[in-house]
PDB file of all heavy atoms in Angstrom:
ATOM      1  N   ARG A  32     194.407  91.717  77.276  1.00 95.00           N
ATOM      2  CA  ARG A  32     195.782  91.648  77.758  1.00 95.00           C
ATOM      3  C   ARG A  32     195.822  91.276  79.240  1.00 95.00           C
ATOM      4  O   ARG A  32     196.627  90.452  79.679  1.00 95.00           O
ATOM      5  CB  ARG A  32     196.473  92.992  77.532  1.00 95.00           C
ATOM      6  CG  ARG A  32     197.972  92.897  77.752  1.00 95.00           C
ATOM      7  CD  ARG A  32     198.650  94.166  77.378  1.00 95.00           C
ATOM      8  NE  ARG A  32     198.554  95.077  78.523  1.00 95.00           N
ATOM      9  CZ  ARG A  32     199.034  96.300  78.537  1.00 95.00           C
ATOM     10  NH1 ARG A  32     199.606  96.793  77.456  1.00 95.00           N
ATOM     11  NH2 ARG A  32     198.946  97.043  79.599  1.00 95.00           N
ATOM     12  N   THR A  33     194.929  91.868  80.016  1.00 94.00           N
ATOM     13  CA  THR A  33     194.878  91.587  81.447  1.00 94.00           C
ATOM     14  C   THR A  33     194.505  90.133  81.705  1.00 94.00           C
ATOM     15  O   THR A  33     195.093  89.461  82.557  1.00 94.00           O
ATOM     16  CB  THR A  33     193.882  92.535  82.137  1.00 94.00           C
ATOM     17  OG1 THR A  33     194.259  93.878  81.864  1.00 94.00           O
ATOM     18  CG2 THR A  33     193.844  92.307  83.630  1.00 94.00           C
ATOM     19  N   LEU A  34     193.530  89.623  80.964  1.00 92.00           N
ATOM     20  CA  LEU A  34     193.128  88.225  81.115  1.00 92.00           C
ATOM     21  C   LEU A  34     194.261  87.276  80.730  1.00 92.00           C
ATOM     22  O   LEU A  34     194.517  86.286  81.421  1.00 92.00           O
ATOM     23  CB  LEU A  34     191.885  87.927  80.279  1.00 92.00           C
ATOM     24  CG  LEU A  34     190.575  88.519  80.810  1.00 92.00           C
ATOM     25  CD1 LEU A  34     189.467  88.345  79.782  1.00 92.00           C
ATOM     26  CD2 LEU A  34     190.194  87.876  82.122  1.00 92.00           C
ATOM     27  N   ARG A  35     194.951  87.577  79.621  1.00 93.00           N
ATOM     28  CA  ARG A  35     196.076  86.726  79.208  1.00 93.00           C
ATOM     29  C   ARG A  35     197.170  86.705  80.278  1.00 93.00           C
ATOM     30  O   ARG A  35     197.714  85.649  80.602  1.00 93.00           O
ATOM     31  CB  ARG A  35     196.660  87.230  77.890  1.00 93.00           C
ATOM     32  CG  ARG A  35     195.887  86.801  76.694  1.00 93.00           C
ATOM     33  CD  ARG A  35     196.643  87.092  75.391  1.00 93.00           C
ATOM     34  NE  ARG A  35     195.774  86.770  74.288  1.00 93.00           N
ATOM     35  CZ  ARG A  35     194.987  87.638  73.658  1.00 93.00           C
ATOM     36  NH1 ARG A  35     195.001  88.904  74.024  1.00 93.00           N
ATOM     37  NH2 ARG A  35     194.222  87.258  72.674  1.00 93.00           N
ATOM     38  N   THR A  36     197.486  87.871  80.797  1.00 91.00           N
ATOM     39  CA  THR A  36     198.523  87.953  81.830  1.00 91.00           C
ATOM     40  C   THR A  36     198.125  87.144  83.056  1.00 91.00           C
ATOM     41  O   THR A  36     198.935  86.397  83.611  1.00 91.00           O
ATOM     42  CB  THR A  36     198.766  89.426  82.231  1.00 91.00           C
ATOM     43  OG1 THR A  36     199.130  90.159  81.067  1.00 91.00           O
ATOM     44  CG2 THR A  36     199.853  89.539  83.276  1.00 91.00           C
ATOM     45  N   GLY A  37     196.881  87.273  83.468  1.00 89.00           N
ATOM     46  CA  GLY A  37     196.403  86.526  84.626  1.00 89.00           C
ATOM     47  C   GLY A  37     196.402  85.029  84.398  1.00 89.00           C
ATOM     48  O   GLY A  37     196.781  84.254  85.278  1.00 89.00           O
ATOM     49  N   LEU A  38     196.008  84.606  83.228  1.00 88.00           N
ATOM     50  CA  LEU A  38     195.980  83.177  82.923  1.00 88.00           C
ATOM     51  C   LEU A  38     197.389  82.596  82.835  1.00 88.00           C
ATOM     52  O   LEU A  38     197.631  81.481  83.296  1.00 88.00           O
ATOM     53  CB  LEU A  38     195.220  82.923  81.624  1.00 88.00           C
ATOM     54  CG  LEU A  38     193.708  83.136  81.704  1.00 88.00           C
ATOM     55  CD1 LEU A  38     193.087  83.050  80.318  1.00 88.00           C
ATOM     56  CD2 LEU A  38     193.060  82.132  82.634  1.00 88.00           C
ATOM     57  N   ARG A  39     198.317  83.348  82.284  1.00 87.00           N
ATOM     58  CA  ARG A  39     199.708  82.873  82.210  1.00 87.00           C
ATOM     59  C   ARG A  39     200.326  82.792  83.602  1.00 87.00           C
ATOM     60  O   ARG A  39     201.103  81.886  83.882  1.00 87.00           O
ATOM     61  CB  ARG A  39     200.535  83.793  81.334  1.00 87.00           C
ATOM     62  CG  ARG A  39     200.235  83.620  79.869  1.00 87.00           C
ATOM     63  CD  ARG A  39     201.148  84.475  79.014  1.00 87.00           C
ATOM     64  NE  ARG A  39     200.686  84.441  77.641  1.00 87.00           N
ATOM     65  CZ  ARG A  39     200.507  85.496  76.881  1.00 87.00           C
ATOM     66  NH1 ARG A  39     200.790  86.700  77.341  1.00 87.00           N
ATOM     67  NH2 ARG A  39     200.075  85.370  75.653  1.00 87.00           N
ATOM     68  N   ALA A  40     199.991  83.739  84.449  1.00 82.00           N
ATOM     69  CA  ALA A  40     200.540  83.742  85.810  1.00 82.00           C
ATOM     70  C   ALA A  40     200.051  82.533  86.584  1.00 82.00           C
ATOM     71  O   ALA A  40     200.759  82.004  87.429  1.00 82.00           O
ATOM     72  CB  ALA A  40     200.156  85.028  86.531  1.00 82.00           C
ATOM     73  N   GLY A  41     198.846  82.079  86.306  1.00 70.00           N
ATOM     74  CA  GLY A  41     198.308  80.915  86.996  1.00 70.00           C
ATOM     75  C   GLY A  41     199.040  79.636  86.666  1.00 70.00           C
ATOM     76  O   GLY A  41     199.045  78.689  87.438  1.00 70.00           O
ATOM     77  N   LYS A  42     199.712  79.600  85.509  1.00 70.00           N
ATOM     78  CA  LYS A  42     200.443  78.406  85.105  1.00 70.00           C
ATOM     79  C   LYS A  42     201.774  78.290  85.839  1.00 70.00           C
ATOM     80  O   LYS A  42     202.349  77.228  85.894  1.00 70.00           O
ATOM     81  CB  LYS A  42     200.716  78.436  83.595  1.00 70.00           C
ATOM     82  CG  LYS A  42     199.470  78.248  82.769  1.00 70.00           C
ATOM     83  CD  LYS A  42     199.825  78.266  81.294  1.00 70.00           C
ATOM     84  CE  LYS A  42     198.583  78.123  80.450  1.00 70.00           C
ATOM     85  NZ  LYS A  42     198.878  78.188  79.020  1.00 70.00           N
ATOM     86  N   GLY A  43     202.268  79.364  86.374  1.00 60.00           N
ATOM     87  CA  GLY A  43     203.558  79.355  87.048  1.00 60.00           C
ATOM     88  C   GLY A  43     204.677  79.563  86.049  1.00 60.00           C
ATOM     89  O   GLY A  43     204.521  79.359  84.854  1.00 60.00           O
ATOM     90  N   THR A  44     205.817  79.947  86.531  1.00 54.00           N
ATOM     91  CA  THR A  44     206.939  80.239  85.648  1.00 54.00           C
ATOM     92  C   THR A  44     207.797  79.015  85.384  1.00 54.00           C
ATOM     93  O   THR A  44     208.658  79.045  84.542  1.00 54.00           O
ATOM     94  CB  THR A  44     207.820  81.341  86.273  1.00 54.00           C
ATOM     95  OG1 THR A  44     208.249  80.897  87.552  1.00 54.00           O
ATOM     96  CG2 THR A  44     207.064  82.640  86.383  1.00 54.00           C
ATOM     97  N   ARG A  45     207.566  77.927  86.092  1.00 58.00           N
ATOM     98  CA  ARG A  45     208.418  76.757  85.964  1.00 58.00           C
ATOM     99  C   ARG A  45     207.732  75.618  85.219  1.00 58.00           C
ATOM    100  O   ARG A  45     208.080  74.473  85.395  1.00 58.00           O
ATOM    101  CB  ARG A  45     208.850  76.278  87.335  1.00 58.00           C
ATOM    102  CG  ARG A  45     209.694  77.266  88.102  1.00 58.00           C
ATOM    103  CD  ARG A  45     210.060  76.740  89.470  1.00 58.00           C
ATOM    104  NE  ARG A  45     210.582  75.410  89.436  1.00 58.00           N
ATOM    105  CZ  ARG A  45     211.876  75.094  89.460  1.00 58.00           C
ATOM    106  NH1 ARG A  45     212.760  76.038  89.515  1.00 58.00           N
ATOM    107  NH2 ARG A  45     212.266  73.839  89.442  1.00 58.00           N
ATOM    108  N   SER A  46     206.742  75.918  84.408  1.00 56.00           N
ATOM    109  CA  SER A  46     206.023  74.858  83.717  1.00 56.00           C
ATOM    110  C   SER A  46     206.982  74.058  82.844  1.00 56.00           C
ATOM    111  O   SER A  46     207.816  74.604  82.143  1.00 56.00           O
ATOM    112  CB  SER A  46     204.882  75.438  82.886  1.00 56.00           C
ATOM    113  OG  SER A  46     205.398  76.288  81.897  1.00 56.00           O
TER     114      SER A  46
END
Side-chain angles (χ1 to χ4, degrees):
R32 192 173 84 181
T33 304
L34 287 171
R35 280 191 186 94
T36 302
L38 289 172
R39 286 184 189 131
K42 290 181 182 178
T44 57
R45 297 179 49 98
S46 62

